[in-house]
Amino acid sequence: RFIAVKEYGKTHPEYFPERGGKRLIVSSSSSPGPCIGNPDVVKIISEKVGKFFDENPDRLTVSLGMTDGGWCECALCKANDGPSLEISGDSSPKSQRYYTFLNQVARDLQRSHPGKSIGVLGYAGAEYPPANLKVERNIIPYMCYTRANWFDRDVKRRDLKSTDAWADRVDQIG
């Protein structure tokens, strides 16, 4: 909703996800997310997050969870890819990309609205903390695993290890 087709589709296609070398002018929860490697997108989202809190001063968090449609494939976004902690053997290369973007917004938010936080989703390639990047403390990752799978001891162990890793890096988890 922060990078909407109606607002930017005709004037700034570079704000939208690239797939197969083409920009997709889409903005829905089932489409790929915006180009979070683009510094203008980061600035726009930071400004809109600040405006959200100006208009909703009683709110404590704003959601910047990723979409279900995947990630932008442009060079700017891919340049921020990197490993996450090796918790399950899956390096989840989108964690560094996602938290590089979120950190920038979180730092801006901390300056403009101290005490406010960003809620994010921990899944879809960003379920584990990035290995080589400090995560801003005002980011709240929401773990997207289900305890229904904890009959498998390895799954339970991995999920608890992930929770511990996040708890060491941020002030709150969900």
Side-chain angles (χ1 to χ4, degrees), residues 46-156:
S46 289
E47 289 171 357
K48 288 187 176 190
V49 164
K51 184 177 178 185
F52 170 82
F53 284 115
D54 289 343
E55 294 172 356
N56 301 278
D58 295 337
R59 299 292 292 270
L60 299 175
T61 65
V62 64
S63 174
L64 289 182
M66 79 281 282
T67 66
D68 288 329
W71 303 89
C72 178
E73 297 174 347
C74 80
L76 285 172
C77 286
K78 286 182 176 182
N80 288 321
D81 284 348
S84 67
L85 293 180
E86 294 277 344
I87 291 173
S88 71
D90 173 13
S91 67
S92 299
K94 302 303 186 270
S95 283
Q96 185 166 309
R97 172 195 301 200
Y98 187 41
Y99 288 95
T100 295
F101 156 71
L102 292 170
N103 277 346
Q104 294 168 343
V105 177
R107 283 189 293 272
D108 289 343
L109 180 61
Q110 193 62 6
R111 283 189 291 274
S112 67
H113 296 80
K116 303 297 185 178
S117 298
I118 298 171
V120 301
L121 301 175
Y123 87 120
E127 54 269 31
Y128 307 117
N132 303 317
L133 183 72
K134 179 182 178 277
V135 177
E136 293 297 322
R137 304 295 293 187
N138 61 329
I139 293 174
I140 304 171
Y142 286 80
M143 305 297 93
C144 294
Y145 53 71
T146 175
R147 291 182 305 211
N149 294 328
W150 283 9
F151 68 89
D152 181 326
R153 289 182 186 181
D154 289 335
V155 170
K156 182 178 181 179

Side-chain angles (χ1 to χ4, degrees), residues 2-3 8 15 39-49:
F2 290 108
I3 304 296
Y8 300 109
Y15 294 174
D40 291 338
V41 168
V42 175
K43 182 179 177 195
I44 289 166
I45 292 176
S46 289
E47 289 171 357
K48 288 187 176 190
V49 164

